[in-house]
Amino acid sequence: MIHQQQLQFSTRGRGTFNISREVDDVIANSGITQGICQVFIHHTSASLILCENADPTVRTDLETFMKKIAPDGDSMFQHIDEGPDDMPAHVRTVLTQSSLSFPVNGGRDTLGTWQGIYLWEHRVHPHNRKVTITVMGE
Amino acid sequence: MVYQDTLQLSDHGKGSYEITDLVTDFISESKIRIGTCQLFIHSSSASLLIADIADETTKNETAEFMAQLAPSSDSVDHKINVGMDAIPNEMRYVLAQTSLSIPVSNNRPGIGIWQGIFLSERSSDAAERKLTITVTGEE
C-alpha cells in the first residue's frame, strides 16, 4: 500500500525548520502501520537533515560550519545572479540531503528520541518549499 | 511491485554527468505509477547527487566545489606516492551519496523542475560503473 502527499512550507529565510510533526501527520493519515517513509524536497537551494533536536545550538553550529566551508560572497563562486548566497545555497544542498528515508512502525515514525526532521533553508530570504512524502507498507 | 536492474555506464572520465533521462526512461519502463525510486552506485570513487540544472555555471561550480573540497591526486603534489590516489577519493566519498531516493509520481521522477540527477566520477581512470535502479510501488 502506498500513500503519497505533497506539503508546502513557507520558510523565514536561512535556517532550520522542524517538520517532524507534519511528516508524522502524513504517516498517521496513510493508515500504514509498518513500512518505510521517504521525504523528498523539490529544490536545489534547500535541503533535509536528520538532526539532534534537544539543543538548538547544534543547528546554530551546523550553520556556522556551512558558513565556513561555503561562505556567502566568496570569490571562488561566479554564479551570483540571485545574490551572494546563491551558489553557496546550491553547495550546502549537495553536501546535505534531498531525500530522507526511515522506518515506519506502529503507524508512526521510528526516529530516535533526539532525532528531528529538519528542512534547511539555505537562501537568506524566505521561500516557499515543496516536499513530497511517500509512505509504503502495510 | 518491484522493478530492478543493474546498468553498466561506460567510462566518461572525471567529472559530473547528468543521468536524469536514463532514470526517467527506466521509471517509464517499470510501469510503476506511484512509489519510490532508489539509485545505488557500486563504486567508492563515484557518487550520486541532485543538483541545479537551471544554469550551466551552477552545474560547473558544484562540480568544482566538490573537487576543491577533497582534491584528487591530479591536483596535489605528484611527489606523493601514486597509491595515494584512493585516499582523497575516499574522503570525498563520505561527503557525497552512494544512494539516492526520489519519489515516483505519475510514472515519472517526482522531482523539481530545476533538479537534475548526476553521477559524479572522481577517478581519472575509472572503469565501467555499475548503477542499480530499484523502482518500488504500484502500477
Side-chain angles (χ1 to χ4, degrees), chain B residues 64-73 75-76 87-93 95 122:
Chain B
E64 175 65 15
F65 183 87
M66 294 305 276
Q68 287 189 21
L69 197 65
S72 77
S73 59
S75 51
V76 297
I87 295 172
N89 278 342
E90 297 303 321
M91 280 167 61
R92 208 184 311 181
Y93 175 58
L95 293 168
R122 296 183 291 276

Side-chain angles (χ1 to χ4, degrees), chain B residues 7 9 18-27 29 131 133:
Chain B
L7 311 176
L9 304 176
E18 190 175 353
I19 56 167
T20 315
D21 287 349
L22 183 149
V23 176
T24 305
D25 291 347
F26 192 86
I27 292 172
E29 272 170 37
L131 175 75
I133 309 181

Side-chain angles (χ1 to χ4, degrees), chain A residues 11 14-15 25 48 61 76-77 79 86 88 94 102 114 136:
Chain A
T11 69
R14 185 173 280 175
D25 285 347
L48 300 167
D61 287 349
M76 76 173 142
F77 300 130
H79 177 78
D86 190 343
V94 296
F102 50 85
W114 309 117
M136 297 182 23

Side-chain angles (χ1 to χ4, degrees), chain B residues 72-82 85:
Chain B
S72 77
S73 59
D74 294 11
S75 51
V76 297
D77 192 344
H78 275 277
K79 280 182 279 191
I80 294 172
N81 186 314
V82 285
D85 190 32

Side-chain angles (χ1 to χ4, degrees), chain A:
Chain A
M1 175 176 171
I2 299 176
H3 178 84
Q4 194 173 66
Q5 200 175 324
Q6 271 188 10
L7 300 178
Q8 296 274 352
F9 295 95
S10 301
T11 69
R12 295 187 297 273
R14 185 173 280 175
T16 49
F17 302 89
N18 193 331
I19 60 166
S20 308
R21 187 171 302 163
E22 287 83 351
V23 172
D24 224 14
D25 285 347
V26 173
I27 296 171
N29 288 338
S30 75
I32 290 168
T33 54
Q34 196 173 40
I36 282 174
C37 175
Q38 182 202 65
V39 185
F40 181 85
I41 186 158
H42 295 248
H43 304 276
T44 59
S45 56
S47 59
L48 300 167
I49 53 167
L50 266 182
C51 185
E52 218 259 5
N53 63 7
D55 182 356
T57 57
V58 170
R59 284 171 290 115
T60 311
D61 287 349
L62 280 173
E63 195 62 63
T64 307
F65 175 76
M66 281 299 192
K67 276 182 185 138
K68 273 190 182 167
I69 58 171
D72 287 349
D74 193 291
S75 58
M76 76 173 142
F77 300 130
Q78 293 166 31
H79 177 78
I80 51 170
D81 301 357
E82 295 176 23
D85 60 327
D86 190 343
M87 192 60 214
H90 294 306
V91 168
R92 286 159 162 256
T93 302
V94 296
L95 291 176
T96 50
Q97 318 285 324
S98 296
S99 87
L100 294 174
S101 283
F102 50 85
V104 169
N105 195 276
R108 48 168 308 156
D109 70 59
T110 55
L111 300 181
T113 313
W114 309 117
Q115 283 181 311
I117 305 164
Y118 290 87
L119 188 165
W120 196 347
E121 174 62 69
H122 300 299
R123 297 303 307 274
V124 169
H125 296 297
H127 282 76
N128 289 319
R129 301 305 194 179
K130 197 166 85 174
V131 170
T132 294
I133 299 166
T134 308
V135 193
M136 297 182 23
E138 291 170 354

